[in-house]
Amino acid sequence: MKFSDEFIEKLSEAERIVFFTGAGISAESGISTFRGKDGIWNKLKPEELASFDAFLRNPELVWEWYQYRRKIVNEAQPNPGHLAIAEFEKYYKDVSVVTQNVDNLHRRAGSSNVYELHGNIERNYCINCRTFYNKEDLQFSGKIPVCKSCGGLIRPDVVWFGEFLPEDIFNDGESKAIHSDICFVVGTSAIVYPAANIPILAKRSGSFLVEVNIEETELTNFADYSLFGPSGKILPQILEEVKTLRKA
Ligand code: BJW
């Protein structure tokens, strides 16, 4: 792939890089996106699965759905897109991943600075006393697990619609984006707020905004540069360009 001269110059001069990622980066690992042709929300209703009210109405159903997704995530492997992002750390002094994904694949790929805006599917907590439980601390046998300390219902540590994002993580991720030289926006429809504000703020603060997606999104007209194609193909090609520009 031939990149623009302006993009190559930015890659050459940059010191601080942010990758703002969404479900599309994990599509090539076999994890479904939410929207679009094969998206989860085409078959299942978000209001029945991804809100606190839905959980209180039918905790068994919500647990079953998360257990199903956990199985897929556990069996999935980071793809060349995740791996390329992790390898950027060899070439830039400050590389951060600000992700909407809950699948842990950026960490498993080796990225060191990961800000998980919507939580992590492997963690859980009690809705009463907020005791945390890792996946290995819990058994799900059709009956929803309850807290060993207080007997409260345990829920996945993810952010559902109408819930606030973890404040410190959001603020730190936003700050990284604001201070970045290049902000890559990878595999997201960029329609879920407040996360979708982050790339907008990055560009308004002077960062060069590069979109990587298989199709146009809400952000395309706002981005400085758009690269259309699967992130598992495009990101390794950008990394190859970086390798020729910068020495490890
Ligand atoms: C590829 C590819 C490949 C495919 N390569 N690319 C107006 C009306 C109603 C509500 C609101 C409103 N405005 C704002 C809101 C609030 C709401 C919101 O934004 N809703 C919008 C949908 C309109 N936001 C919230 O509720 C948030 N909280 C909040 O606002 O708190 C304040 C508040 C408090 C109290 C009362 C009211 C407000 C919380 C949002 C939480 C989102 N949670 C989810 C589920 C997480 C848990 C789980 O996983 O189970 O997060 S929803 C889902 O969407 C998930 C994702 O992180 C998020 C973003 O999706 P993403 O990653 O962009 O995926 P897709 O599928 O949309 O896009 C995939 C992209 O990849 C596509 O572009 C493809 O083309 C591309 N792609 N293959 C490259 N190989």
Side-chain angles (χ1 to χ4, degrees), residues 22-24 27-28 33-35 66 69 100 102 118 158-159 161-164 187-189 191-193 213-215 230-231:
E28 289 155 83
T33 60
F34 292 91
R35 300 165 188 86
Y66 277 93
R69 287 177 55 204
Q100 300 165 88
V102 299
H118 292 161
V158 298
V159 180
F161 286 111
E163 294 186 322
F164 291 105
T188 176
S189 55
I191 61 162
V192 175
Y193 284 84
N213 202 301
I214 51 170
E215 60 188 28
S231 48

PDB file of all heavy atoms in Angstrom, residues 22-24 27-28 33-35 66 69 100 102 118 158-159 161-164 187-189 191-193 213-215 230-231, ligand 1:
ATOM      1  N   GLY A  22     -11.895  -0.216  18.406  1.00  0.00           N
ATOM      2  CA  GLY A  22     -13.233  -0.747  18.645  1.00  0.00           C
ATOM      3  C   GLY A  22     -13.325  -2.179  18.150  1.00  0.00           C
ATOM      4  O   GLY A  22     -12.305  -2.793  17.757  1.00  0.00           O
ATOM      5  N   ALA A  23     -14.544  -2.687  18.137  1.00  0.00           N
ATOM      6  CA  ALA A  23     -14.777  -4.114  17.881  1.00  0.00           C
ATOM      7  C   ALA A  23     -14.156  -4.610  16.573  1.00  0.00           C
ATOM      8  O   ALA A  23     -13.765  -5.776  16.476  1.00  0.00           O
ATOM      9  CB  ALA A  23     -16.276  -4.378  17.869  1.00  0.00           C
ATOM     10  N   GLY A  24     -14.042  -3.724  15.568  1.00  0.00           N
ATOM     11  CA  GLY A  24     -13.522  -4.146  14.265  1.00  0.00           C
ATOM     12  C   GLY A  24     -12.107  -4.688  14.318  1.00  0.00           C
ATOM     13  O   GLY A  24     -11.747  -5.568  13.511  1.00  0.00           O
ATOM     14  N   ALA A  27     -12.350  -8.330  14.886  1.00  0.00           N
ATOM     15  CA  ALA A  27     -13.181  -9.125  13.958  1.00  0.00           C
ATOM     16  C   ALA A  27     -12.355 -10.240  13.321  1.00  0.00           C
ATOM     17  O   ALA A  27     -12.832 -11.368  13.158  1.00  0.00           O
ATOM     18  CB  ALA A  27     -13.784  -8.215  12.889  1.00  0.00           C
ATOM     19  N   GLU A  28     -11.109  -9.926  12.984  1.00  0.00           N
ATOM     20  CA  GLU A  28     -10.269 -10.952  12.337  1.00  0.00           C
ATOM     21  C   GLU A  28      -9.748 -11.999  13.338  1.00  0.00           C
ATOM     22  O   GLU A  28      -9.084 -12.954  12.933  1.00  0.00           O
ATOM     23  CB  GLU A  28      -9.109 -10.271  11.605  1.00  0.00           C
ATOM     24  CG  GLU A  28      -9.589  -9.525  10.360  1.00  0.00           C
ATOM     25  CD  GLU A  28      -8.661  -8.394   9.973  1.00  0.00           C
ATOM     26  OE1 GLU A  28      -7.650  -8.666   9.298  1.00  0.00           O
ATOM     27  OE2 GLU A  28      -8.920  -7.248  10.379  1.00  0.00           O
ATOM     28  N   THR A  33     -18.504  -8.041  15.681  1.00  0.00           N
ATOM     29  CA  THR A  33     -18.699  -6.625  16.010  1.00  0.00           C
ATOM     30  C   THR A  33     -20.136  -6.458  16.525  1.00  0.00           C
ATOM     31  O   THR A  33     -20.897  -7.432  16.577  1.00  0.00           O
ATOM     32  CB  THR A  33     -18.469  -5.744  14.769  1.00  0.00           C
ATOM     33  OG1 THR A  33     -19.398  -6.141  13.763  1.00  0.00           O
ATOM     34  CG2 THR A  33     -17.044  -5.864  14.254  1.00  0.00           C
ATOM     35  N   PHE A  34     -20.485  -5.230  16.920  1.00  0.00           N
ATOM     36  CA  PHE A  34     -21.828  -4.987  17.453  1.00  0.00           C
ATOM     37  C   PHE A  34     -22.805  -4.599  16.352  1.00  0.00           C
ATOM     38  O   PHE A  34     -23.928  -5.044  16.320  1.00  0.00           O
ATOM     39  CB  PHE A  34     -21.777  -3.874  18.520  1.00  0.00           C
ATOM     40  CG  PHE A  34     -21.041  -4.315  19.737  1.00  0.00           C
ATOM     41  CD1 PHE A  34     -19.668  -4.096  19.859  1.00  0.00           C
ATOM     42  CD2 PHE A  34     -21.693  -4.994  20.743  1.00  0.00           C
ATOM     43  CE1 PHE A  34     -18.978  -4.544  20.965  1.00  0.00           C
ATOM     44  CE2 PHE A  34     -21.003  -5.444  21.861  1.00  0.00           C
ATOM     45  CZ  PHE A  34     -19.640  -5.215  21.969  1.00  0.00           C
ATOM     46  N   ARG A  35     -22.314  -3.717  15.440  1.00  0.00           N
ATOM     47  CA  ARG A  35     -23.199  -3.190  14.405  1.00  0.00           C
ATOM     48  C   ARG A  35     -22.723  -3.677  13.048  1.00  0.00           C
ATOM     49  O   ARG A  35     -21.726  -4.362  12.960  1.00  0.00           O
ATOM     50  CB  ARG A  35     -23.230  -1.658  14.491  1.00  0.00           C
ATOM     51  CG  ARG A  35     -23.743  -1.211  15.855  1.00  0.00           C
ATOM     52  CD  ARG A  35     -23.490   0.235  16.203  1.00  0.00           C
ATOM     53  NE  ARG A  35     -23.859   0.456  17.605  1.00  0.00           N
ATOM     54  CZ  ARG A  35     -23.035   0.233  18.638  1.00  0.00           C
ATOM     55  NH1 ARG A  35     -21.782  -0.149  18.433  1.00  0.00           N
ATOM     56  NH2 ARG A  35     -23.450   0.398  19.876  1.00  0.00           N
ATOM     57  N   TYR A  66     -23.005 -13.558  28.475  1.00  0.00           N
ATOM     58  CA  TYR A  66     -21.595 -13.227  28.733  1.00  0.00           C
ATOM     59  C   TYR A  66     -20.730 -14.474  28.808  1.00  0.00           C
ATOM     60  O   TYR A  66     -19.580 -14.461  28.357  1.00  0.00           O
ATOM     61  CB  TYR A  66     -21.460 -12.336  29.989  1.00  0.00           C
ATOM     62  CG  TYR A  66     -21.710 -10.889  29.611  1.00  0.00           C
ATOM     63  CD1 TYR A  66     -22.969 -10.331  29.712  1.00  0.00           C
ATOM     64  CD2 TYR A  66     -20.696 -10.114  29.056  1.00  0.00           C
ATOM     65  CE1 TYR A  66     -23.218  -9.030  29.301  1.00  0.00           C
ATOM     66  CE2 TYR A  66     -20.925  -8.813  28.640  1.00  0.00           C
ATOM     67  CZ  TYR A  66     -22.188  -8.277  28.764  1.00  0.00           C
ATOM     68  OH  TYR A  66     -22.416  -6.993  28.333  1.00  0.00           O
ATOM     69  N   ARG A  69     -19.969 -15.389  25.306  1.00  0.00           N
ATOM     70  CA  ARG A  69     -18.954 -14.500  24.705  1.00  0.00           C
ATOM     71  C   ARG A  69     -17.573 -14.734  25.309  1.00  0.00           C
ATOM     72  O   ARG A  69     -16.555 -14.647  24.632  1.00  0.00           O
ATOM     73  CB  ARG A  69     -19.384 -13.047  24.860  1.00  0.00           C
ATOM     74  CG  ARG A  69     -20.534 -12.722  23.903  1.00  0.00           C
ATOM     75  CD  ARG A  69     -21.032 -11.325  24.084  1.00  0.00           C
ATOM     76  NE  ARG A  69     -19.981 -10.332  23.953  1.00  0.00           N
ATOM     77  CZ  ARG A  69     -20.038  -9.129  24.494  1.00  0.00           C
ATOM     78  NH1 ARG A  69     -21.084  -8.766  25.217  1.00  0.00           N
ATOM     79  NH2 ARG A  69     -19.054  -8.267  24.327  1.00  0.00           N
ATOM     80  N   GLN A 100     -12.343   0.494  23.328  1.00  0.00           N
ATOM     81  CA  GLN A 100     -13.729   0.269  23.777  1.00  0.00           C
ATOM     82  C   GLN A 100     -13.966  -1.221  23.972  1.00  0.00           C
ATOM     83  O   GLN A 100     -15.015  -1.627  24.437  1.00  0.00           O
ATOM     84  CB  GLN A 100     -14.698   0.806  22.720  1.00  0.00           C
ATOM     85  CG  GLN A 100     -14.548   2.289  22.456  1.00  0.00           C
ATOM     86  CD  GLN A 100     -15.262   2.698  21.164  1.00  0.00           C
ATOM     87  OE1 GLN A 100     -16.442   3.024  21.169  1.00  0.00           O
ATOM     88  NE2 GLN A 100     -14.559   2.653  20.063  1.00  0.00           N
ATOM     89  N   VAL A 102     -13.732  -5.127  25.324  1.00  0.00           N
ATOM     90  CA  VAL A 102     -13.651  -5.747  26.644  1.00  0.00           C
ATOM     91  C   VAL A 102     -12.914  -7.089  26.565  1.00  0.00           C
ATOM     92  O   VAL A 102     -12.885  -7.838  27.521  1.00  0.00           O
ATOM     93  CB  VAL A 102     -15.083  -5.951  27.226  1.00  0.00           C
ATOM     94  CG1 VAL A 102     -15.797  -4.620  27.396  1.00  0.00           C
ATOM     95  CG2 VAL A 102     -15.927  -6.910  26.365  1.00  0.00           C
ATOM     96  N   HIS A 118     -14.605   0.508  28.399  1.00  0.00           N
ATOM     97  CA  HIS A 118     -15.869  -0.189  28.659  1.00  0.00           C
ATOM     98  C   HIS A 118     -15.676  -1.448  29.505  1.00  0.00           C
ATOM     99  O   HIS A 118     -16.514  -2.347  29.481  1.00  0.00           O
ATOM    100  CB  HIS A 118     -16.571  -0.522  27.334  1.00  0.00           C
ATOM    101  CG  HIS A 118     -17.070   0.692  26.600  1.00  0.00           C
ATOM    102  ND1 HIS A 118     -17.375   0.701  25.257  1.00  0.00           N
ATOM    103  CD2 HIS A 118     -17.308   1.965  27.038  1.00  0.00           C
ATOM    104  CE1 HIS A 118     -17.791   1.922  24.906  1.00  0.00           C
ATOM    105  NE2 HIS A 118     -17.747   2.702  25.959  1.00  0.00           N
ATOM    106  N   VAL A 158     -18.291  -4.712  32.944  1.00  0.00           N
ATOM    107  CA  VAL A 158     -18.325  -4.019  31.647  1.00  0.00           C
ATOM    108  C   VAL A 158     -19.262  -2.837  31.794  1.00  0.00           C
ATOM    109  O   VAL A 158     -20.047  -2.782  32.747  1.00  0.00           O
ATOM    110  CB  VAL A 158     -18.810  -4.957  30.510  1.00  0.00           C
ATOM    111  CG1 VAL A 158     -17.874  -6.136  30.326  1.00  0.00           C
ATOM    112  CG2 VAL A 158     -20.238  -5.434  30.765  1.00  0.00           C
ATOM    113  N   VAL A 159     -19.166  -1.887  30.864  1.00  0.00           N
ATOM    114  CA  VAL A 159     -20.012  -0.689  30.964  1.00  0.00           C
ATOM    115  C   VAL A 159     -21.218  -0.855  30.045  1.00  0.00           C
ATOM    116  O   VAL A 159     -21.076  -0.993  28.830  1.00  0.00           O
ATOM    117  CB  VAL A 159     -19.217   0.577  30.584  1.00  0.00           C
ATOM    118  CG1 VAL A 159     -20.107   1.818  30.699  1.00  0.00           C
ATOM    119  CG2 VAL A 159     -17.989   0.723  31.478  1.00  0.00           C
ATOM    120  N   PHE A 161     -25.166   0.428  28.638  1.00  0.00           N
ATOM    121  CA  PHE A 161     -25.788   1.698  28.253  1.00  0.00           C
ATOM    122  C   PHE A 161     -26.382   2.383  29.488  1.00  0.00           C
ATOM    123  O   PHE A 161     -26.956   1.736  30.350  1.00  0.00           O
ATOM    124  CB  PHE A 161     -26.867   1.477  27.188  1.00  0.00           C
ATOM    125  CG  PHE A 161     -26.274   1.184  25.844  1.00  0.00           C
ATOM    126  CD1 PHE A 161     -26.392  -0.066  25.264  1.00  0.00           C
ATOM    127  CD2 PHE A 161     -25.542   2.146  25.168  1.00  0.00           C
ATOM    128  CE1 PHE A 161     -25.829  -0.341  24.029  1.00  0.00           C
ATOM    129  CE2 PHE A 161     -24.960   1.881  23.928  1.00  0.00           C
ATOM    130  CZ  PHE A 161     -25.105   0.639  23.367  1.00  0.00           C
ATOM    131  N   GLY A 162     -26.182   3.688  29.545  1.00  0.00           N
ATOM    132  CA  GLY A 162     -26.704   4.477  30.669  1.00  0.00           C
ATOM    133  C   GLY A 162     -25.780   4.480  31.874  1.00  0.00           C
ATOM    134  O   GLY A 162     -26.089   5.131  32.868  1.00  0.00           O
ATOM    135  N   GLU A 163     -24.661   3.756  31.795  1.00  0.00           N
ATOM    136  CA  GLU A 163     -23.732   3.728  32.931  1.00  0.00           C
ATOM    137  C   GLU A 163     -22.529   4.631  32.650  1.00  0.00           C
ATOM    138  O   GLU A 163     -22.131   4.818  31.494  1.00  0.00           O
ATOM    139  CB  GLU A 163     -23.248   2.293  33.181  1.00  0.00           C
ATOM    140  CG  GLU A 163     -24.370   1.381  33.636  1.00  0.00           C
ATOM    141  CD  GLU A 163     -23.886  -0.005  34.038  1.00  0.00           C
ATOM    142  OE1 GLU A 163     -22.976  -0.541  33.380  1.00  0.00           O
ATOM    143  OE2 GLU A 163     -24.433  -0.555  34.997  1.00  0.00           O
ATOM    144  N   PHE A 164     -21.945   5.127  33.736  1.00  0.00           N
ATOM    145  CA  PHE A 164     -20.765   5.973  33.580  1.00  0.00           C
ATOM    146  C   PHE A 164     -19.539   5.115  33.275  1.00  0.00           C
ATOM    147  O   PHE A 164     -19.426   3.987  33.756  1.00  0.00           O
ATOM    148  CB  PHE A 164     -20.523   6.795  34.853  1.00  0.00           C
ATOM    149  CG  PHE A 164     -21.577   7.848  35.048  1.00  0.00           C
ATOM    150  CD1 PHE A 164     -22.574   7.699  36.009  1.00  0.00           C
ATOM    151  CD2 PHE A 164     -21.598   8.981  34.245  1.00  0.00           C
ATOM    152  CE1 PHE A 164     -23.569   8.662  36.168  1.00  0.00           C
ATOM    153  CE2 PHE A 164     -22.582   9.947  34.400  1.00  0.00           C
ATOM    154  CZ  PHE A 164     -23.564   9.788  35.353  1.00  0.00           C
ATOM    155  N   GLY A 187     -11.262   0.379  13.547  1.00  0.00           N
ATOM    156  CA  GLY A 187     -12.338  -0.596  13.712  1.00  0.00           C
ATOM    157  C   GLY A 187     -13.441  -0.185  14.661  1.00  0.00           C
ATOM    158  O   GLY A 187     -13.906  -1.006  15.443  1.00  0.00           O
ATOM    159  N   THR A 188     -13.851   1.077  14.569  1.00  0.00           N
ATOM    160  CA  THR A 188     -14.987   1.507  15.390  1.00  0.00           C
ATOM    161  C   THR A 188     -15.952   2.323  14.553  1.00  0.00           C
ATOM    162  O   THR A 188     -15.526   3.093  13.691  1.00  0.00           O
ATOM    163  CB  THR A 188     -14.539   2.311  16.636  1.00  0.00           C
ATOM    164  OG1 THR A 188     -15.716   2.768  17.336  1.00  0.00           O
ATOM    165  CG2 THR A 188     -13.650   3.504  16.306  1.00  0.00           C
ATOM    166  N   SER A 189     -17.259   2.150  14.849  1.00  0.00           N
ATOM    167  CA  SER A 189     -18.270   2.950  14.154  1.00  0.00           C
ATOM    168  C   SER A 189     -18.274   4.369  14.706  1.00  0.00           C
ATOM    169  O   SER A 189     -18.869   5.264  14.113  1.00  0.00           O
ATOM    170  CB  SER A 189     -19.651   2.302  14.314  1.00  0.00           C
ATOM    171  OG  SER A 189     -19.938   2.113  15.686  1.00  0.00           O
ATOM    172  N   ILE A 191     -19.798   5.767  17.176  1.00  0.00           N
ATOM    173  CA  ILE A 191     -21.109   6.383  17.453  1.00  0.00           C
ATOM    174  C   ILE A 191     -21.494   6.279  18.921  1.00  0.00           C
ATOM    175  O   ILE A 191     -22.531   6.788  19.325  1.00  0.00           O
ATOM    176  CB  ILE A 191     -22.245   5.774  16.591  1.00  0.00           C
ATOM    177  CG1 ILE A 191     -22.408   4.275  16.855  1.00  0.00           C
ATOM    178  CG2 ILE A 191     -22.043   6.052  15.111  1.00  0.00           C
ATOM    179  CD1 ILE A 191     -23.750   3.748  16.378  1.00  0.00           C
ATOM    180  N   VAL A 192     -20.682   5.586  19.729  1.00  0.00           N
ATOM    181  CA  VAL A 192     -21.053   5.419  21.134  1.00  0.00           C
ATOM    182  C   VAL A 192     -20.276   6.439  21.981  1.00  0.00           C
ATOM    183  O   VAL A 192     -19.048   6.461  21.977  1.00  0.00           O
ATOM    184  CB  VAL A 192     -20.805   3.973  21.611  1.00  0.00           C
ATOM    185  CG1 VAL A 192     -21.067   3.837  23.102  1.00  0.00           C
ATOM    186  CG2 VAL A 192     -21.706   3.008  20.843  1.00  0.00           C
ATOM    187  N   TYR A 193     -21.052   7.251  22.683  1.00  0.00           N
ATOM    188  CA  TYR A 193     -20.471   8.318  23.509  1.00  0.00           C
ATOM    189  C   TYR A 193     -20.469   7.920  24.974  1.00  0.00           C
ATOM    190  O   TYR A 193     -21.271   7.088  25.366  1.00  0.00           O
ATOM    191  CB  TYR A 193     -21.289   9.612  23.296  1.00  0.00           C
ATOM    192  CG  TYR A 193     -20.946  10.232  21.966  1.00  0.00           C
ATOM    193  CD1 TYR A 193     -21.562   9.794  20.804  1.00  0.00           C
ATOM    194  CD2 TYR A 193     -19.957  11.208  21.879  1.00  0.00           C
ATOM    195  CE1 TYR A 193     -21.207  10.345  19.570  1.00  0.00           C
ATOM    196  CE2 TYR A 193     -19.613  11.752  20.650  1.00  0.00           C
ATOM    197  CZ  TYR A 193     -20.236  11.324  19.509  1.00  0.00           C
ATOM    198  OH  TYR A 193     -19.871  11.861  18.304  1.00  0.00           O
ATOM    199  N   ASN A 213     -10.454   1.438   8.735  1.00  0.00           N
ATOM    200  CA  ASN A 213     -11.750   0.765   8.825  1.00  0.00           C
ATOM    201  C   ASN A 213     -12.031   0.104   7.477  1.00  0.00           C
ATOM    202  O   ASN A 213     -11.451   0.491   6.464  1.00  0.00           O
ATOM    203  CB  ASN A 213     -12.853   1.790   9.159  1.00  0.00           C
ATOM    204  CG  ASN A 213     -14.087   1.149   9.789  1.00  0.00           C
ATOM    205  OD1 ASN A 213     -14.723   0.279   9.207  1.00  0.00           O
ATOM    206  ND2 ASN A 213     -14.408   1.578  10.996  1.00  0.00           N
ATOM    207  N   ILE A 214     -12.930  -0.873   7.491  1.00  0.00           N
ATOM    208  CA  ILE A 214     -13.286  -1.487   6.205  1.00  0.00           C
ATOM    209  C   ILE A 214     -14.281  -0.617   5.437  1.00  0.00           C
ATOM    210  O   ILE A 214     -14.524  -0.852   4.261  1.00  0.00           O
ATOM    211  CB  ILE A 214     -13.854  -2.919   6.364  1.00  0.00           C
ATOM    212  CG1 ILE A 214     -14.979  -2.941   7.403  1.00  0.00           C
ATOM    213  CG2 ILE A 214     -12.765  -3.917   6.732  1.00  0.00           C
ATOM    214  CD1 ILE A 214     -15.752  -4.257   7.433  1.00  0.00           C
ATOM    215  N   GLU A 215     -14.898   0.342   6.141  1.00  0.00           N
ATOM    216  CA  GLU A 215     -15.854   1.214   5.432  1.00  0.00           C
ATOM    217  C   GLU A 215     -15.888   2.598   6.063  1.00  0.00           C
ATOM    218  O   GLU A 215     -15.292   2.815   7.129  1.00  0.00           O
ATOM    219  CB  GLU A 215     -17.250   0.589   5.450  1.00  0.00           C
ATOM    220  CG  GLU A 215     -17.785   0.379   6.835  1.00  0.00           C
ATOM    221  CD  GLU A 215     -19.086  -0.413   6.878  1.00  0.00           C
ATOM    222  OE1 GLU A 215     -19.329  -1.232   5.968  1.00  0.00           O
ATOM    223  OE2 GLU A 215     -19.840  -0.200   7.839  1.00  0.00           O
ATOM    224  N   PRO A 230      -9.128  -4.202   5.986  1.00  0.00           N
ATOM    225  CA  PRO A 230      -9.077  -4.856   7.301  1.00  0.00           C
ATOM    226  C   PRO A 230      -7.854  -4.397   8.098  1.00  0.00           C
ATOM    227  O   PRO A 230      -6.742  -4.321   7.554  1.00  0.00           O
ATOM    228  CB  PRO A 230      -8.962  -6.342   6.963  1.00  0.00           C
ATOM    229  CG  PRO A 230      -9.158  -6.467   5.493  1.00  0.00           C
ATOM    230  CD  PRO A 230      -8.936  -5.137   4.871  1.00  0.00           C
ATOM    231  N   SER A 231      -8.062  -4.105   9.380  1.00  0.00           N
ATOM    232  CA  SER A 231      -6.956  -3.592  10.204  1.00  0.00           C
ATOM    233  C   SER A 231      -5.828  -4.619  10.335  1.00  0.00           C
ATOM    234  O   SER A 231      -4.665  -4.254  10.499  1.00  0.00           O
ATOM    235  CB  SER A 231      -7.454  -3.153  11.576  1.00  0.00           C
ATOM    236  OG  SER A 231      -8.286  -4.130  12.149  1.00  0.00           O
TER     237      SER A 231
HETATM  238  C1  BJW B   1     -13.502  -3.289  10.811  1.00  0.00           C
HETATM  239  C2  BJW B   1     -13.244  -4.645  10.546  1.00  0.00           C
HETATM  240  C3  BJW B   1     -11.911  -4.976  10.241  1.00  0.00           C
HETATM  241  C4  BJW B   1     -15.313  -4.461  10.990  1.00  0.00           C
HETATM  242  N1  BJW B   1     -10.965  -4.021  10.204  1.00  0.00           N
HETATM  243  N2  BJW B   1     -12.561  -2.360  10.773  1.00  0.00           N
HETATM  244  C5  BJW B   1     -28.765   9.256  22.306  1.00  0.00           C
HETATM  245  C6  BJW B   1     -29.797   8.380  22.592  1.00  0.00           C
HETATM  246  C7  BJW B   1     -29.649   7.372  23.548  1.00  0.00           C
HETATM  247  C8  BJW B   1     -28.478   7.217  24.250  1.00  0.00           C
HETATM  248  C9  BJW B   1     -27.464   8.092  23.956  1.00  0.00           C
HETATM  249  C10 BJW B   1     -27.599   9.103  23.001  1.00  0.00           C
HETATM  250  N3  BJW B   1     -26.429   9.764  22.928  1.00  0.00           N
HETATM  251  C11 BJW B   1     -25.589   9.208  23.790  1.00  0.00           C
HETATM  252  C12 BJW B   1     -26.208   8.201  24.438  1.00  0.00           C
HETATM  253  C13 BJW B   1     -25.640   7.354  25.466  1.00  0.00           C
HETATM  254  C14 BJW B   1     -25.048   6.055  24.996  1.00  0.00           C
HETATM  255  C15 BJW B   1     -24.698   6.089  23.505  1.00  0.00           C
HETATM  256  O1  BJW B   1     -23.673   6.562  23.098  1.00  0.00           O
HETATM  257  N4  BJW B   1     -25.572   5.526  22.680  1.00  0.00           N
HETATM  258  C16 BJW B   1     -25.368   5.555  21.222  1.00  0.00           C
HETATM  259  C17 BJW B   1     -25.566   4.162  20.657  1.00  0.00           C
HETATM  260  C18 BJW B   1     -26.300   6.573  20.635  1.00  0.00           C
HETATM  261  N5  BJW B   1     -23.849   5.894  25.789  1.00  0.00           N
HETATM  262  C19 BJW B   1     -23.888   5.370  27.007  1.00  0.00           C
HETATM  263  O2  BJW B   1     -24.929   4.960  27.516  1.00  0.00           O
HETATM  264  C20 BJW B   1     -22.572   5.344  27.754  1.00  0.00           C
HETATM  265  N6  BJW B   1     -22.711   5.913  29.038  1.00  0.00           N
HETATM  266  C21 BJW B   1     -23.085   7.192  29.218  1.00  0.00           C
HETATM  267  O3  BJW B   1     -23.355   7.931  28.296  1.00  0.00           O
HETATM  268  O4  BJW B   1     -23.097   7.554  30.547  1.00  0.00           O
HETATM  269  C22 BJW B   1     -23.619   8.841  30.874  1.00  0.00           C
HETATM  270  C23 BJW B   1     -25.031   8.641  31.344  1.00  0.00           C
HETATM  271  C24 BJW B   1     -25.249   8.135  32.594  1.00  0.00           C
HETATM  272  C25 BJW B   1     -26.550   7.991  33.048  1.00  0.00           C
HETATM  273  C26 BJW B   1     -27.618   8.279  32.205  1.00  0.00           C
HETATM  274  C27 BJW B   1     -27.379   8.725  30.915  1.00  0.00           C
HETATM  275  C28 BJW B   1     -26.063   8.917  30.479  1.00  0.00           C
HETATM  276  C29 BJW B   1     -22.113   3.907  27.964  1.00  0.00           C
HETATM  277  C30 BJW B   1     -21.871   3.207  26.682  1.00  0.00           C
HETATM  278  C31 BJW B   1     -21.525   1.761  26.954  1.00  0.00           C
HETATM  279  C32 BJW B   1     -21.351   0.956  25.673  1.00  0.00           C
HETATM  280  N7  BJW B   1     -21.317  -0.419  25.992  1.00  0.00           N
HETATM  281  C33 BJW B   1     -21.085  -1.379  24.919  1.00  0.00           C
HETATM  282  C34 BJW B   1     -21.201  -2.798  25.523  1.00  0.00           C
HETATM  283  C35 BJW B   1     -19.930  -3.099  26.358  1.00  0.00           C
HETATM  284  C36 BJW B   1     -20.046  -4.387  27.101  1.00  0.00           C
HETATM  285  C37 BJW B   1     -20.031  -5.594  26.203  1.00  0.00           C
HETATM  286  O5  BJW B   1     -19.167  -5.750  25.322  1.00  0.00           O
HETATM  287  O6  BJW B   1     -20.895  -6.427  26.411  1.00  0.00           O
HETATM  288  O7  BJW B   1     -19.788  -1.174  24.349  1.00  0.00           O
HETATM  289  S1  BJW B   1     -22.186  -1.185  23.524  1.00  0.00           S
HETATM  290  C38 BJW B   1     -20.966  -1.550  22.291  1.00  0.00           C
HETATM  291  O8  BJW B   1     -20.716  -0.374  21.489  1.00  0.00           O
HETATM  292  C39 BJW B   1     -19.672  -1.840  23.066  1.00  0.00           C
HETATM  293  C40 BJW B   1     -18.651  -1.162  22.213  1.00  0.00           C
HETATM  294  O9  BJW B   1     -17.492  -0.904  22.957  1.00  0.00           O
HETATM  295  C41 BJW B   1     -19.379   0.069  21.727  1.00  0.00           C
HETATM  296  C42 BJW B   1     -18.784   0.677  20.479  1.00  0.00           C
HETATM  297  O10 BJW B   1     -18.905  -0.197  19.403  1.00  0.00           O
HETATM  298  P1  BJW B   1     -17.706  -0.326  18.354  1.00  0.00           P
HETATM  299  O11 BJW B   1     -16.504  -0.853  19.009  1.00  0.00           O
HETATM  300  O12 BJW B   1     -17.568   0.941  17.611  1.00  0.00           O
HETATM  301  O13 BJW B   1     -18.253  -1.493  17.414  1.00  0.00           O
HETATM  302  P2  BJW B   1     -19.245  -1.408  16.152  1.00  0.00           P
HETATM  303  O14 BJW B   1     -19.781  -2.763  15.947  1.00  0.00           O
HETATM  304  O15 BJW B   1     -20.237  -0.315  16.307  1.00  0.00           O
HETATM  305  O16 BJW B   1     -18.314  -1.000  14.932  1.00  0.00           O
HETATM  306  C43 BJW B   1     -17.344  -1.884  14.414  1.00  0.00           C
HETATM  307  C44 BJW B   1     -16.566  -1.178  13.334  1.00  0.00           C
HETATM  308  O17 BJW B   1     -15.515  -2.012  12.892  1.00  0.00           O
HETATM  309  C45 BJW B   1     -17.410  -0.824  12.085  1.00  0.00           C
HETATM  310  O18 BJW B   1     -17.151   0.532  11.730  1.00  0.00           O
HETATM  311  C46 BJW B   1     -16.862  -1.773  11.008  1.00  0.00           C
HETATM  312  O19 BJW B   1     -16.898  -1.208   9.704  1.00  0.00           O
HETATM  313  C47 BJW B   1     -15.435  -1.969  11.471  1.00  0.00           C
HETATM  314  N8  BJW B   1     -14.777  -3.226  11.074  1.00  0.00           N
HETATM  315  N9  BJW B   1     -14.336  -5.366  10.646  1.00  0.00           N
HETATM  316  C48 BJW B   1     -11.248  -2.743  10.444  1.00  0.00           C
HETATM  317  N10 BJW B   1     -11.488  -6.274   9.933  1.00  0.00           N
END
